[in-house]
Amino acid sequence: MEQLEQLVSAVNRSLSDYVLFFLLAGTGIFFTIRTRFIQVRCFGEGWKEVFHKFSLHGAKSSGGLSSFQALSTAVAAQVGTGNIVGAAGAIITGGPGAIFWMWVIAFFGMATIYAEAVLAQETRETAPDGTVHGGPVYYIIRAFPNRFGKFLALFFAVATITALGFMGCMVQANSIGESCRDALGVPAWIIGMIIVLLSWMIFSGGTKRIARVTEKLVPLMAGIYILGGLIILAIRYRYLPETFHCIFYYAFAPDALLGGSLGYALKTAVSQGVKRGLFSNEAGMGSTPHAHAVAEVSSPHKQGCVAMIGVFIDTAVVLTMTALIVISTLYTGDGPLAGTGGESYLAALAAHDLTKTNLVQHAAASVSTVAIGNIFIAVCLLFFAFSTIISWNFFGKINFHYLFGKKFIFIYTLLSLFFIFAGTLIKNDLAWELQDMFNQLMVLPNVLALITLSGAVVRHARKH
């Protein structure tokens, strides 16, 4: 098992440091140019579509969702533990400058996710009972209507079910179990039973119940996190200029903090930003198109604009809040990592026992108490991880339905609940590595189909 974990970890490093960097950045730049900077031209239109007839009580439709429900389901998947633990890991490994590169990949990712949403709308299918199904497997088949296309669709579906429906839900549940146990002292098995019960109640209600939950949960969880973050930043307001200076300075001179040569340090900062940016906003990964496909809108372009707002909320709002909290409290002023570099930086991390899993807790505790900091982050992680479980299960379910049909969905649900419960009881680094690997493998057939069908995306973008 240890050797397998090392092998999977090596594959992940190769994919994230080389293949995905050029693939995702290149795809984002490609669609940005071909759509004439759609993320700039239609940014305002996206906000108008999000809040047009805004309601937390959904909209009645035969088989689909309202545009806001689709966005909420997508954001529920995007805003997960990656916005806390992932961002913290990027900052520790790549320095504060990694956040700048996360912003860059998110900017280009907005054009990529526009393409995903447009194609998901164009290729979706309506079943005889009125339910709507859509996602990358449907536009992959459109892009390659042959055996190669069927193979790519199968590859994507299996990777999605494994990465999101099983392993993804498992590791998200693990984050909930650990944070609640450490902050509240509740046994992990009790947390596991509660999560399984709540998940079953939501899963059994189908797409409509998932949408009704996410449309209320997403604004609530974002509001709590942003409010708490603003309180911390208000306490550390004098260090905010230095915080932004750290982000931009270490983006281009990370060796001043990480040590080593400039080339190696810059590669580390950029690769951390790109990798964590992908797992944060999920643009190009092929997950959120499942939600945008079922939105009831007048044109694919409109949902494409809405999808771009999801990336903005995830990165520019939630993830940036995490970055500002961590950097303003730990890397500036009297923070334990301020003024360190090279060996002294590593020594400071070790001396204060700072890791990606507890970095934000330390940041919050530094302006309050350890108990308050732990409880605040535990509550936020609970919301973030549980909302991700709901959406990822839904995305995996669509692909399971594509492979096996409706009558076997109950098997998928039972397996998902098993992985959720197991995730709260055990900490398996191999499960995290496998989820990362299958997440990254999802990108390959998805991006290939996006590029092949780019002409359809461009027609919608230029028409509007």
Side-chain angles (χ1 to χ4, degrees):
M1 293 295 288
E2 184 178 346
Q3 291 176 342
L4 178 59
E5 181 183 337
Q6 292 175 353
L7 175 62
V8 174
S9 179
V11 172
N12 285 338
R13 286 195 300 271
S14 298
L15 287 172
S16 62
D17 291 351
Y18 302 102
V19 178
L20 291 187
F21 171 75
F22 294 104
L23 194 62
L24 289 172
T27 302
I29 294 171
F30 173 77
F31 278 108
T32 296
I33 295 173
R34 291 215 63 191
T35 60
R36 299 174 183 172
F37 286 81
I38 190 74
Q39 65 269 59
V40 177
R41 292 192 297 109
C42 296
F43 184 75
E45 182 181 350
W47 280 109
K48 290 179 182 178
E49 287 297 325
V50 169
F51 292 104
H52 177 62
K53 297 180 180 179
F54 171 77
S55 172
L56 293 179
H57 301 288
K60 295 182 178 179
S61 61
S62 58
L65 307 178
S66 70
S67 183
F68 181 74
Q69 285 178 326
L71 175 66
S72 297
T73 305
V75 172
Q78 293 168 306
V79 178
T81 56
N83 291 77
I84 295 180
V85 179
I91 293 172
I92 283 183
T93 307
I99 300 301
F100 172 83
W101 298 110
M102 294 178 87
W103 290 342
V104 171
I105 201 66
F107 174 78
F108 292 114
M110 290 172 72
T112 303
I113 211 164
Y114 171 86
E116 290 181 297
V118 165
L119 292 177
Q121 278 281 316
E122 272 211 344
T123 59
R124 70 183 196 163
E125 297 179 357
T126 303
D129 61 358
T131 57
V132 180
H133 302 280
V137 289
Y138 294 91
Y139 59 70
I140 288 172
I141 293 295
R142 171 79 65 85
F144 307 102
N146 48 37
R147 290 184 179 179
F148 180 62
K150 290 181 180 179
F151 167 76
L152 287 180
L154 173 65
F155 181 88
F156 178 87
V158 171
T160 302
I161 293 168
T162 305
L164 306 185
F166 298 153
M167 294 296 177
C169 289
M170 183 179 184
V171 299
Q172 295 292 330
N174 178 263
S175 297
I176 296 175
E178 285 193 348
S179 61
C180 290
R181 184 188 64 235
D182 295 341
L184 307 176
V186 181
W189 71 268
I190 295 179
I191 298 297
M193 292 298 296
I194 294 173
I195 298 173
V196 166
L197 179 61
L198 292 175
S199 298
W200 176 79
M201 292 171 60
I202 296 170
F203 298 164
S204 62
T207 305
K208 292 293 186 181
R209 185 172 297 173
I210 290 173
R212 286 197 294 269
V213 171
T214 58
E215 70 180 352
K216 299 174 180 62
L217 183 60
V218 167
L220 175 63
M221 72 180 191
I224 291 175
Y225 190 62
I226 292 171
L227 178 61
L230 289 175
I231 292 174
I232 295 173
L233 296 183
I235 297 173
R236 301 285 294 183
Y237 74 93
R238 72 185 69 176
Y239 300 110
L240 289 181
E242 186 180 351
T243 297
F244 283 100
H245 174 265
C246 283
I247 293 174
F248 289 101
Y249 175 73
Y250 289 124
F252 300 99
D255 56 314
L257 178 70
L258 304 179
S261 66
L262 174 61
Y264 175 79
L266 189 59
K267 171 183 172 294
T268 302
V270 174
S271 65
Q272 283 295 312
V274 171
K275 179 170 67 174
R276 295 305 172 185
L278 165 66
F279 294 134
S280 176
N281 62 59
E282 301 188 16
M285 196 170 83
S287 56
T288 58
H290 298 97
H292 295 299
V294 297
E296 296 293 345
V297 289
S298 58
S299 73
H301 167 78
K302 290 184 180 297
Q303 195 60 28
C305 293
V306 170
M308 294 192 301
I309 302 304
V311 173
F312 180 84
I313 292 173
D314 170 85
T315 303
V317 179
V318 180
L319 185 142
T320 297
M321 181 60 70
T322 299
L324 296 180
I325 290 172
V326 168
I327 298 170
S328 66
T329 56
L330 303 180
Y331 285 80
T332 64
D334 55 353
L337 302 177
T340 60
E343 293 296 328
S344 64
Y345 174 63
L346 297 177
L349 288 173
H352 293 86
D353 191 28
L354 296 176
T355 66
K356 67 178 183 180
T357 57
N358 66 20
L359 194 68
V360 185
Q361 285 93 328
H362 275 276
S366 68
V367 297
S368 57
T369 64
V370 173
I372 292 176
N374 286 342
I375 291 174
F376 170 63
I377 298 303
V379 170
C380 292
L381 273 174
L382 172 63
F383 278 118
F384 286 10
F386 186 66
S387 69
T388 301
I389 287 173
I390 295 172
S391 292
W392 278 2
N393 176 271
F394 172 54
F395 300 161
K397 180 180 177 181
I398 292 174
N399 288 274
F400 197 90
H401 179 276
Y402 169 80
L403 292 179
F404 303 106
K406 185 177 181 179
K407 63 181 180 180
F408 293 107
I409 289 297
F410 76 96
I411 297 177
Y412 170 78
T413 301
L414 290 177
L415 287 172
S416 296
L417 294 175
F418 168 77
F419 277 99
I420 290 171
F421 184 70
T424 60
L425 299 181
I426 60 175
K427 180 177 178 60
N428 190 339
D429 291 335
L430 178 59
W432 287 82
E433 292 291 346
L434 284 171
Q435 192 228 346
D436 283 351
M437 184 180 73
F438 283 106
N439 270 342
Q440 296 181 94
L441 291 176
M442 288 168 58
V443 174
L444 304 178
N446 182 59
V447 167
L448 191 58
L450 292 178
I451 298 297
T452 303
L453 297 175
S454 61
V457 176
V458 172
R459 284 195 297 272
H460 282 283
R462 296 188 177 181
K463 181 179 177 182
H464 297 272

